[in-house]
Amino acid sequence: MSVINKYTFKKILVVMIWLMMGAGTVVLLIAAISKRNNESCANVEINITGVQNNFFIDKSEVLKILESSNGGTLKQKPVHQIDIAAMESRLNKIPWISHAELYFDNNDVLRVSIKEREPVARIFTVSGQSFYIDSSLTRLPLSDRFSPRLPVFTGFPSDAIVLSGQDSGLIMGIRTLGEFLANNSFWMAQVDQVDITANREFDLVPKLGNSIIHFGDAGNYQQKFNNLLCFYKQVLTKIGWDHYAAIDAQFKGQIVGVRKDAGEIKADAVQSEQIMKSMIEDAQKQADDSTKVQLGQGDDDNDDMHASPEEE
């Protein structure tokens, strides 16, 4: 046999070996798929994450959605008859669900992993409509299952789903303040609601005292709250919570107060005492809150911050 014939024979042999290996792989894959298709769903395991202690959609509701998408009970149903893609698509259309993923594990258990959206603020529009937003600015409907304790914003100027430039910037400011308030036990207890003004700025309505706080926009919000806290500790705790009709936190490095007359101060002092008692009772009910509501928080390093005694 010539050298050329030997080379050709070896080449043919190698090709045949590779073809046989490929054919074997295909046969194994087909057998595995066939075996999986003939197997039945052993169980359905649902895991919901994303919201601490508050589920706006529970496991029983998820299971009902899955079963309605497949015409009945999933357990013991042949795997090849279960449309995972269709179920994922349906779950991901639910407003309260951020992301849903489904798959079968090696034990033929259908694993359902759901990440739920977490609202950061509740908004009331000027027309009286109400909805939640989450950190991604997704609009969420009210829930019959649960009403979360969230910062409340009133007077939002639009009911539109797609917002204009000004309203889009406004709702981003709502998200910023909402997340801050929800994560700060003192300000969450002190701010009753946030009113949106005609020029799309924020007025804080406190639970303690009747002094409306003109906050401006959400820019430099942390510094503004620090200045307000210093003002509370250095001024209001000494002269009273109802000494001012309004407090303006919009100015850099200072707080400006507009005084009330003596009659108003005397009348409001009684109401403030009642509100303080109510705030203490509410704080005690929040047993799962690891931080206590107190005035001794904040940054005392605002040397340039001062309170104007009066603004005509």
Side-chain angles (χ1 to χ4, degrees):
M1 183 180 293
S2 65
V3 176
I4 296 177
N5 289 337
K6 288 182 180 180
Y7 176 77
T8 303
F9 177 76
K10 289 181 180 180
K11 187 174 181 181
I12 293 173
L13 183 61
V14 170
V15 171
M16 290 179 64
I17 291 173
W18 278 106
L19 288 174
M20 291 174 64
M21 291 177 62
T25 302
V26 171
V27 169
L28 290 174
L29 287 173
I30 293 174
I33 293 172
S34 178
K35 181 176 180 295
R36 169 51 62 90
N37 287 339
N38 291 327
E39 291 175 343
S40 299
C41 176
N43 203 356
V44 179
E45 295 290 340
I46 300 171
N47 182 42
I48 302 175
T49 60
V51 178
Q52 295 182 356
N53 302 322
N54 303 323
F55 293 117
F56 294 93
I57 183 170
D58 61 17
K59 295 181 180 181
S60 62
E61 187 174 354
V62 171
L63 184 59
K64 288 180 181 178
I65 294 171
L66 298 178
E67 290 178 344
S68 66
S69 299
N70 284 273
T73 304
L74 293 172
K75 194 172 180 179
Q76 302 305 321
K77 188 170 186 177
V79 171
H80 72 276
Q81 294 181 11
I82 298 176
D83 191 342
I84 290 181
M87 291 190 294
E88 279 189 353
S89 177
R90 184 166 176 180
L91 287 174
N92 283 317
K93 290 179 181 178
I94 297 175
W96 284 105
I97 294 179
S98 173
H99 179 71
E101 183 179 3
L102 286 74
Y103 64 93
F104 278 103
D105 64 13
N106 293 330
N107 297 317
D108 297 320
V109 174
L110 178 60
R111 301 285 179 178
V112 182
S113 178
I114 291 177
K115 183 178 181 181
E116 193 175 21
R117 295 188 185 276
E118 183 168 9
V120 297
R122 181 171 181 178
I123 300 174
F124 289 86
T125 68
V126 290
S127 68
Q129 299 296 317
S130 181
F131 57 91
Y132 302 115
I133 60 167
D134 70 353
S135 58
S136 68
L137 300 180
T138 298
R139 183 178 297 208
L140 306 172
L142 301 185
S143 172
D144 295 333
R145 185 182 305 278
F146 181 75
S147 181
R149 183 173 178 263
L150 294 170
V152 174
F153 293 78
T154 62
F156 191 75
S158 175
D159 291 322
I161 301 299
V162 179
L163 300 175
S164 65
Q166 283 185 314
D167 292 337
S168 178
L170 176 60
I171 206 166
M172 286 192 287
I174 291 174
R175 175 187 61 186
T176 298
L177 294 186
E179 289 179 333
F180 175 84
L181 292 172
N183 291 305
N184 187 292
S185 58
F186 171 73
W187 287 114
M188 187 63 189
Q190 169 63 352
V191 177
D192 192 35
Q193 68 184 52
V194 182
D195 293 335
I196 300 171
T197 67
N199 57 352
R200 292 177 171 79
E201 293 182 342
F202 302 109
D203 282 351
L204 310 184
V205 181
K207 283 191 176 79
L208 180 61
N210 292 325
S211 303
I212 298 298
I213 302 172
H214 301 310
F215 196 81
D217 59 26
N220 299 318
Y221 69 96
Q222 291 178 315
Q223 186 62 52
K224 291 177 183 178
F225 277 114
N226 283 340
N227 290 346
L228 279 170
L229 190 57
C230 289
F231 182 75
Y232 274 22
K233 292 192 296 184
Q234 297 174 12
V235 180
L236 295 188
T237 55
K238 298 176 182 178
I239 67 174
W241 293 85
D242 296 285
H243 193 75
Y244 295 101
I247 299 171
D248 201 325
Q250 301 180 72
F251 303 100
K252 183 177 181 180
Q254 65 177 347
I255 300 295
V256 177
V258 181
R259 294 185 61 181
K260 292 183 176 183
D261 62 72
E264 290 177 316
I265 295 172
K266 183 177 180 180
D268 291 339
V270 176
Q271 183 181 5
S272 295
E273 183 179 357
Q274 296 173 345
I275 295 174
M276 174 60 83
K277 292 179 180 178
S278 177
M279 288 175 63
I280 293 173
E281 291 174 358
D282 289 342
Q284 291 174 342
K285 292 179 182 178
Q286 301 296 324
D288 57 339
D289 192 348
S290 60
T291 55
K292 295 182 180 179
V293 178
Q294 53 181 291
L295 287 175
Q297 301 177 4
D299 187 0
D300 292 325
D301 296 331
N302 298 288
D303 294 332
D304 60 338
M305 189 278 292
H306 65 277
S308 175
E310 184 173 354
E311 179 178 280
E312 296 297 330

